[in-house]
Amino acid sequence: MSLGSNGNSVNLVDRAKAKVIGAVPLGSSDSETAGRAIREMFTSIAPRYDLLNHLLSFRVDHLWWRRAARSFRPILSQPSSHALDLCCGTGDMAFALLGQSGGSGARILGVDFSHAMLERARQKSAGTSLVWIEADALRLPFPGSRFELVTAAFGFRNLADYDASLTEILRVLKPGGECGILDFGEPKGLVGMVYRVYFRRVLPVIGTMLSGVRGPYCYLPASVERFPRPSEMIERMRQCGFREASWTPYTFGIAGLYRGRK
Ligand SMILES: C[S@@+](CC[C@H](N)C(=O)[O-])C[C@H]1O[C@@H](n2cnc3c(N)ncnc32)[C@H](O)[C@@H]1O
């Protein structure tokens, strides 16, 4: 099931104009302080990020990255294509994109504003063609119309201003280029009930214990709860200028892929 052009839409015009919608980590008062708090948070968990990611998702994260990357194979298999993975963290989504390029020679860049996360990406990618750039996703250091594909896996939700970010993605995409945003959702029904107990009660305890850092793994479920529902996110993409905006749920909607075309 996908939510697409005919999915439920929410009139966001008034709300969108009224205030900025984006991540609000504890203690932040505006986009700038939110961005700083997010960067510090990810830097603090960088040493254990991969281990915790795989452990807490029971390694399903690999399937999600691969499935999302596979859906962009037609772009990635073109030798002249340029792909950008935003909020790349330690690089796993970029690795998945590279895996789907089938050795085409497509250029794949990862961007993140946490130096510590990028250091781990660099260590993991020695000998590959992947390139890592330290930059803010809201102010990308690229000219307009540069990329055929822009992705973001589990990072978009953490951006301080969703509409500004969508606009920035649109700016760097070539006309006809595609955007893929993979992020958590909120499954419904029985799966949703079980999942919510795990996500809200078990995951924060284990995450805090193993990372040795208080905060990030309590922020995670809160950030997913605050994130726009698929119908609202699709409408935001449309209002920012994306065509063919859609959402495809992964694993009962625990995660899902938003797509849009410039
Ligand atoms: C949950 S991690 C996701 C990492 C990776 N994409 C993955 O799937 O595992 C979110 C990443 O987004 C980065 N991030 C958040 N806001 C950002 C921003 N404004 N600019 C660049 N990176 C940002 C964080 O530093 C962090 O590495």
Side-chain angles (χ1 to χ4, degrees):
M1 181 201 75
S2 292
L3 250 185
S5 324
N6 298 323
N8 292 338
S9 71
V10 178
N11 185 354
L12 295 167
V13 178
D14 295 339
R15 261 199 297 161
K17 278 182 184 159
K19 65 178 185 130
V20 169
I21 306 289
V24 186
L26 210 63
S28 64
S29 52
D30 53 32
S31 305
E32 202 159 309
T33 50
R36 211 174 308 137
I38 293 284
R39 188 170 58 224
E40 282 166 13
M41 189 174 78
F42 281 104
T43 297
S44 73
I45 57 169
R48 297 222 152 171
Y49 179 79
D50 281 348
L51 172 76
L52 275 158
N53 232 5
H54 305 333
L55 200 74
L56 294 171
S57 74
F58 306 101
R59 290 191 77 81
V60 179
D61 50 0
H62 278 276
L63 302 179
W64 292 335
W65 288 314
R66 201 176 317 138
R67 184 172 168 190
R70 201 168 47 225
S71 62
F72 296 111
R73 201 188 275 160
I75 297 177
L76 295 164
S77 57
Q78 289 173 22
S80 57
S81 65
H82 291 76
L84 172 66
D85 182 40
L86 291 179
C87 303
C88 65
T90 60
D92 287 316
M93 181 70 206
F95 282 108
L97 296 176
L98 185 63
Q100 294 299 324
S101 70
S104 67
R107 299 290 310 271
I108 300 167
L109 274 68
V111 159
D112 200 286
F113 67 2
S114 164
H115 186 76
M117 295 290 266
L118 283 183
E119 273 306 304
R120 300 196 81 78
R122 280 198 186 100
Q123 285 162 13
K124 284 160 63 178
S125 63
T128 73
S129 58
L130 294 171
V131 173
W132 311 107
I133 295 170
E134 196 170 323
D136 191 332
L138 293 167
R139 281 177 290 272
L140 291 169
F142 306 113
S145 303
R146 183 84 183 84
F147 298 95
E148 276 83 6
L149 173 65
V150 176
T151 58
F154 307 106
F156 186 88
R157 179 177 26 89
N158 298 299
L159 296 172
D161 185 337
Y162 300 146
D163 291 342
S165 167
L166 288 171
T167 305
E168 186 64 347
I169 292 173
L170 208 59
R171 182 185 71 78
V172 298
L173 272 176
K174 285 188 177 163
E178 285 201 69
C179 159
I181 297 171
L182 175 62
D183 222 310
F184 288 113
E186 295 218 291
K188 299 198 171 27
L190 188 63
V191 173
M193 274 164 59
V194 175
Y195 177 72
R196 269 188 291 283
V197 172
Y198 169 71
F199 206 57
R200 289 180 191 166
R201 307 219 177 272
V202 182
L203 181 146
V205 175
I206 301 176
T208 303
M209 223 162 60
L210 295 184
S211 68
V213 186
R214 251 187 106 75
Y217 289 91
C218 299
Y219 160 82
L220 175 58
S223 71
V224 174
E225 265 170 56
R226 283 195 77 255
F227 194 59
R229 301 286 88 92
S231 56
E232 179 177 338
M233 188 57 194
I234 287 172
E235 187 56 24
R236 281 189 181 282
M237 291 178 78
R238 283 200 196 115
Q239 288 191 12
C240 287
F242 282 96
R243 296 186 286 123
E244 301 167 30
S246 68
W247 177 72
T248 303
Y250 289 3
T251 321
F252 305 106
I254 290 173
L257 180 70
Y258 293 95
R259 295 182 72 153
R261 189 184 292 278
K262 180 170 179 179

